[in-house]
């Protein structure tokens, strides 16, 4: 166990507990997440509660990619980096970030990405950017989708419930490295996020039963 794993173990008991208190969390399908080997986790994104909610729901340490502006925030940047997060410059080519993403999965770790590239203010999952697919294809590692529902209406103090559903591992064998392959894979990721998110909407309407299984 490296230092980042130790910090995550502590964070699950502290930040994770606080997250569950302010946003009652229910998780479906976490047993589908491979417990070792390089992995890309691609999630949708509505709110700042999403990263801690996704982190505490994951059975693995996630090395999150986050916008450089967040890393520059006093206190927040240091906290994020202590948990293995790294910065990316949005809206431009960031070769250092791409190199870091590939190194993370190449070294057998799990890369956490909000696949749309930014928070979705519309309240529904948005278009998926090619970054997650690029890493999975170029490094030949599986990708798992984590759909988040509830955080689109969550605000601090509302205590609205948030739920996360995990997909089965996805692989993209046969797709070429390059723009066409990344685009095709991104369409599949986007479709999977939307399917799981719609399923979570139905689960919330049913009162979030504990024994429900996300669609494969």
């Amino acid at each position: 166990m490296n230092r980042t794993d130790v910090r995550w173990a502590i964070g699950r008991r502290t930040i994770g507990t606080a997250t569950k208190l302010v946003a009652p969390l229910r998780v479906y399908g976490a047993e589908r997440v491979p417990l070792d080997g390089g992995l890309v986790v691609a999630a949708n994104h509505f709110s700042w509660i999403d990263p801690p909610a996704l982190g505490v729901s994951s059975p693995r340490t996630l090395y999150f990619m986050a916008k450089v502006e967040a890393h520059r925030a006093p206190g927040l940047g240091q906290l994020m980096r202590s948990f293995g997060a790294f910065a990316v410059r949005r809206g431009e080519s960031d070769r250092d970030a791409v190199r870091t993403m590939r190194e993370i999965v190449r070294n057998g770790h799990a890369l956490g990405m909000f696949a749309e590239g930014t928070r979705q203010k519309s309240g529904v999952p948005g278009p998926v950017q090619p970054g997650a697919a690029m890493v999975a294809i170029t490094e030949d590692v599986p990708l798992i989708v984590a759909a988040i529902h509830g955080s689109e209406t969550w605000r601090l103090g509302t205590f609205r419930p948030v739920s996360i559903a995990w997909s089965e591992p996805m692989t993209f064998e046969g797709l070429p490295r390059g723009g066409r392959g990344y685009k095709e894979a991104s369409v599949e990721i986007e479709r999977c996020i939307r399917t799981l998110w719609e399923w979570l909407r139905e689960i919330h309407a049913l009162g979030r039963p504990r024994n429900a299984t996300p669609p494969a």
Side-chain angles (χ1 to χ4, degrees):
M1 182 178 288
N2 61 33
R3 291 182 179 179
T4 302
D5 291 328
V6 171
R7 294 188 183 105
W8 268 72
I10 297 171
R12 284 190 172 94
R13 297 182 180 181
T14 53
I15 299 172
T17 299
T19 300
K20 292 176 182 179
L21 288 174
V22 300
L25 187 63
R26 189 147 295 172
V27 182
Y28 300 94
E31 70 281 356
R32 295 171 167 177
V33 179
L35 297 182
D36 51 42
L39 177 70
V40 178
V41 172
N44 60 299
H45 191 18
F46 296 119
S47 165
W48 64 263
I49 199 66
D50 294 337
L54 183 59
V56 73
S57 80
S58 172
R60 291 185 62 173
T61 294
L62 297 179
Y63 289 74
F64 277 112
M65 181 178 73
K67 60 183 180 180
V68 70
E69 291 84 358
H71 281 266
R72 290 171 178 164
L76 177 61
Q78 292 91 326
L79 179 65
M80 291 167 55
R81 288 188 291 276
S82 73
F83 283 89
F86 63 98
V88 62
R89 297 188 299 273
R90 295 189 305 180
E92 59 182 287
S93 177
D94 190 337
R95 294 183 179 180
D96 289 338
V98 171
R99 188 179 304 112
T100 299
M101 288 189 286
R102 295 183 61 178
E103 286 177 353
I104 286 170
V105 299
R106 192 181 304 147
N107 292 333
H109 301 303
L111 170 68
M113 299 183 66
F114 290 106
E116 300 138 319
T118 188
R119 287 184 293 175
Q120 301 301 299
K121 298 179 180 180
S122 64
V124 297
V128 165
Q129 302 302 309
M134 180 274 294
V135 177
I137 290 174
T138 56
E139 295 299 325
D140 192 24
V141 298
L143 180 146
I144 282 193
V145 160
I148 304 172
H149 176 65
S151 64
E152 60 269 29
T153 58
W154 182 90
R155 299 293 183 275
L156 187 61
T158 62
F159 299 98
R160 290 184 182 274
V162 173
S163 298
I164 296 177
W166 296 84
S167 76
E168 298 281 359
M170 305 169 67
T171 57
F172 304 109
E173 297 177 5
L175 290 183
R177 297 186 180 189
R180 184 172 67 85
Y182 306 155
K183 183 176 181 179
E184 288 185 28
S186 296
V187 169
E188 292 301 317
I189 295 167
E190 185 175 320
R191 182 181 296 122
C192 185
I193 288 175
R194 189 59 182 253
T195 297
L196 290 177
W197 186 79
E198 294 283 1
W199 179 82
L200 284 173
R201 290 182 64 185
E202 297 175 3
I203 288 296
H204 272 231
L206 294 172
R208 300 202 302 170
R210 293 181 179 275
N211 60 351
T213 302

